[in-house]
Amino acid sequence: MFSSLYQKYFIKPIATMLGKAVSTQYLRHRQELEPIKLQNGRILTNQILSGRTINHIHEAEFQVFSQWGDDGIIQYLIHKLNIKNKTFIEFGVQDYTESNTRFLLQNDNWKGMIIDSGKEYMDSVKRDSIHWRFDLTVVCNFITAENINSLFVDNGFSGNIGLLSIDIDGKTRGVSVNLLL
C-alpha cells in the first residue's frame, strides 16, 4: 500500500515535472541553435555554388536539417536546374525537425506541404513558429496509394511540384506509382 501511494504521490509527479523541464530545455536549445544552423547552411550553399566543379553529387552534400547530406544536394540541384514552381511536398516528416525540405523552406522561401500520420507530430509543427512564419501547409493523415493524389489536390497542390520528398517506411513504391502530378 505504501509503495503504491509513494509511486502515485511522489514518483509520478516528480517524473512529470522532470519531463516538462527537459522538454522545455530541449525546445529552448533547439531555438537557440536554429539561426546558427541556418547561417552555416547559407555559407555551405555559397561554397557549393561558388563555381568549383562538382564531379559527383555527393560532393554537394551538407546537413542542416536533413538526416544525411540532402540539404546540400537539394541546394545544388535547385540552383542548377530551372525549377519554375517553387513548391515542395514532403511526407514522413514526424515533427519536421529533421527533414529534407526545412532548409529549403527557410533559406529559399519555397511554399510547401508536409504530411505525417502522427497527430502529436503535426500538432507540434502547428505550434512551431515555422508554421506561421512560412508558407507551410501541415496535414495529418495516413498516406496510402489510394489517397495520395486527393491529399495533394485537396490541400492546393496539383500540377508541377518543384520537389517531392518521400520517407514512408515500406510503402514508398506503392504510393509513388499512384502519383498523378
Side-chain angles (χ1 to χ4, degrees):
M1 169 111 156
F2 175 74
S3 176
S4 64
L5 290 174
Y6 179 75
Q7 180 74 22
K8 180 177 180 180
Y9 292 106
F10 185 72
I11 299 296
K12 284 187 180 179
I14 288 176
T16 300
M17 287 188 304
L18 284 173
K20 288 179 182 177
V22 168
S23 178
T24 301
Q25 284 297 101
Y26 168 76
L27 289 174
R28 185 175 300 126
H29 179 67
R30 197 183 94 211
Q31 289 169 346
E32 290 170 357
L33 283 179
E34 191 157 300
I36 297 166
K37 291 173 80 170
L38 287 166
Q39 181 181 25
N40 286 341
R42 289 178 182 124
I43 291 167
L44 292 167
T45 297
N46 288 335
Q47 286 178 354
I48 63 168
L49 299 176
S50 66
R52 70 180 171 106
T53 302
I54 303 276
N55 295 312
H56 301 282
I57 196 72
H58 70 82
E59 295 173 18
E61 290 180 2
F62 66 78
Q63 176 187 2
V64 179
F65 298 109
S66 61
Q67 186 174 7
W68 307 107
D70 300 32
D71 291 314
I73 292 171
I74 289 169
Q75 286 297 303
Y76 179 76
L77 291 174
I78 67 165
H79 287 92
K80 295 297 180 184
L81 301 172
N82 185 19
I83 300 174
K84 291 181 177 36
N85 196 358
K86 310 284 191 219
T87 59
F88 68 83
I89 298 173
E90 182 173 8
F91 39 100
V93 297
Q94 294 185 337
D95 66 0
Y96 202 51
T97 55
E98 183 178 84
S99 67
N100 291 331
T101 59
R102 188 177 180 116
F103 186 62
L104 181 66
L105 176 73
Q106 292 181 270
N107 187 59
D108 301 285
N109 206 31
W110 279 36
K111 173 184 175 181
M113 176 170 67
I114 58 172
I115 308 170
D116 198 278
S117 63
K119 182 174 175 9
E120 288 181 18
Y121 290 138
M122 294 295 89
D123 288 346
S124 172
V125 176
K126 288 177 182 177
R127 287 189 303 270
D128 191 314
S129 66
I130 197 167
H131 184 239
W132 58 265
R133 289 175 49 217
F134 297 93
D135 195 353
L136 182 65
T137 302
V138 178
V139 177
C140 180
N141 209 312
F142 186 80
I143 298 170
T144 65
E146 293 75 30
N147 74 358
I148 188 67
N149 290 311
S150 63
L151 283 174
F152 291 3
V153 172
D154 293 349
N155 287 285
F157 288 81
S158 61
N160 292 327
I161 303 296
L163 176 71
L164 177 65
S165 179
I166 304 171
D167 183 9
I168 49 175
D169 302 330
K171 303 275 187 207
T172 304
R173 187 170 191 276
V175 167
S176 59
V177 165
N178 286 315
L179 287 173
L180 297 173
L181 298 177

